[in-house]
Amino acid sequence: MTDTMIDTKANVARSGAGRDALVVYGAELTSRLFLGTAQYPSPYVLERAVKAAGTEVVTVSVRREGAREKGGQRFWEMIAGLGVRVLPNTAGCRTVREAIATAEMARELFDTDWVKLEVIANDDTLQPDLFGLVEAAGILVREGFKVFPYTTEDLGAAERLLAAGCELLMPWGAPIGTGRGLANPYALRTLRNYFPGVPLVVDAGIGAPSHAAQAMEMGFDAVLLNTAVAKAGDPVAMAEAFGAAIRAGRTAFVAGMMEVRDMAAPSTPVAGTPFFDLK
Amino acid sequence: MDAVLEVVVNGERAKTRARTLAELLIELGYGEAKVATARNGDFIPFRKRDTVELSGGDTIEIVSPRQGG
């Protein structure tokens, strides 16, 4: 039996009778596309992209605001009008202390205990600081947060995040904003197979709908992306493309994909092949 | 007359006569703006802003909702 088949069983069992909802922290989600809200040409395009993607979760952040700016208020009203769940991030935080305070400020502003926890180790790769991430996750869980940790494929860190009280993991596909797709499919597959029952959301590095479909075919539960849609020539059309790719990848995973072979195997019946005896 | 304190607000030095964080927000013109605050790296909840007394050299963060990935 292949790994893929084991995964499929686990996921079909979890999906329930006739429904294929993703449950995260008790919330039932139909869409498996989480969409970032940054870098769009305009708020109007963002609004239409969210609708075109069919997404039910959008990521947001907190940033310094001057007294005379009213950008925060306007942004909040627009997001609130979309009727989707917000997942505030701690983007840019480099220490546990910064991440905790940022999460707490976000909880007050957005009125949600969900937090996409980022503790960044390195400016060039924006890779997670796994040590700080585990520490911050434990503190935030004790404070009542529902933590969505942005992590790598590291199994040890994954186990510690789950032990700290995280109910799902968000491994990176590739460094944030690179659009390179799944940089380490082998490690991602290992993570998927090692935690068959844990919701896993591939976050960051997705550049094309095919990358997202690949993650879903591998059995990941959802994909979080931003730049690939926001920076597309037509973000609204690209949002729709990602929505379709993610649905296709998910359907393919649940359907159970064929086993990969090294040697060719004819698909047309061999028996009765004309001129067969002449070969 | 209240003493003038020098504090750092969102990374910039500022002089203030405010005694509390709530007074500082009013003095700076935030009014009813949708903001969250931290002092010296620690989150200060909305309900505690009028009891948190400022000291010279305090660093204050004032943030609002923003786009994010």
Side-chain angles (χ1 to χ4, degrees), chain A residues 3 16 19 23 51 54 65-66 69-70 76 79 81 86 104 119 121 126 135 137 144 149 154 162 171 251 271-272:
Chain A
D3 292 340
R19 291 178 58 88
V23 178
K51 287 182 179 145
E65 177 153 276
E69 302 169 45
K70 295 284 181 268
W76 170 242
I79 289 296
V86 293
E104 290 168 329
V119 184
L126 296 177
E135 186 184 341
D154 188 280
L162 295 172
T251 304

Side-chain angles (χ1 to χ4, degrees), chain A residues 33 35-60 74-84 226 229-230 234-240, chain B residues 67:
Chain A
L33 169 53
L35 194 60
T37 58
Q39 307 182 81
Y40 291 80
S42 73
Y44 177 62
V45 172
L46 162 61
E47 204 172 337
R48 287 173 57 220
V50 167
K51 287 182 179 145
T55 192
E56 292 167 304
V57 178
V58 296
T59 53
V60 293
R74 281 196 300 273
F75 174 67
W76 170 242
E77 284 166 7
M78 192 269 283
I79 289 296
L82 292 174
V84 295
N226 186 347
V229 167
D234 181 344
V236 179
M238 190 59 82
E240 194 180 339
Chain B
Q67 296 83 353

